[in-house]
Amino acid sequence: MEVRKITFTDNKNSNSKIVIETNENIVGFLETFRLEVGEVIELNNAMYTVKTISEKQVDGKNEFLVDVEFIDLIENQPTA
């Protein structure tokens, strides 16, 4: 089954929706990252934790809807 779209949504920032639609980008993303709950991924130079993954079929192609949570690297930086 071909993947036609992956949509990433950060529930804490509803304006931050990232959509991967082109075959090249989808294949490249899926080869680089495992799309599993709890995984840390990089999107647009920011780090996110995958919270939930859902899948639906549209016209015989899969679409993945992924809820993510932004990781604030500055806030989580260890202090000396």
Side-chain angles (χ1 to χ4, degrees):
M1 191 70 53
E2 182 181 343
V3 178
R4 101 180 196 160
K5 184 192 296 186
I6 306 173
T7 303
F8 299 90
T9 306
D10 184 352
N11 289 331
K12 291 183 180 179
N13 183 0
S14 59
N15 295 332
S16 177
K17 185 177 273 192
I18 301 167
V19 179
I20 301 176
E21 289 187 274
T22 61
N23 285 344
E24 243 176 59
N25 292 341
I26 289 171
V27 169
F29 178 85
L30 293 176
E31 286 178 349
T32 304
F33 297 101
R34 291 182 303 187
L35 200 52
E36 297 177 4
V37 173
E39 285 294 316
V40 174
I41 58 174
E42 180 181 352
L43 299 168
N44 294 350
N45 297 321
M47 301 300 287
Y48 295 89
T49 301
V50 176
K51 292 297 182 182
T52 62
I53 303 168
S54 58
E55 181 180 351
K56 67 179 181 178
Q57 286 191 5
V58 177
D59 299 328
K61 297 181 181 179
N62 290 338
E63 289 189 10
F64 290 98
L65 305 170
V66 183
D67 290 325
V68 294
E69 183 177 292
F70 174 73
I71 300 172
D72 188 343
L73 297 176
I74 295 172
E75 180 181 302
N76 294 317
Q77 186 174 16
T79 56

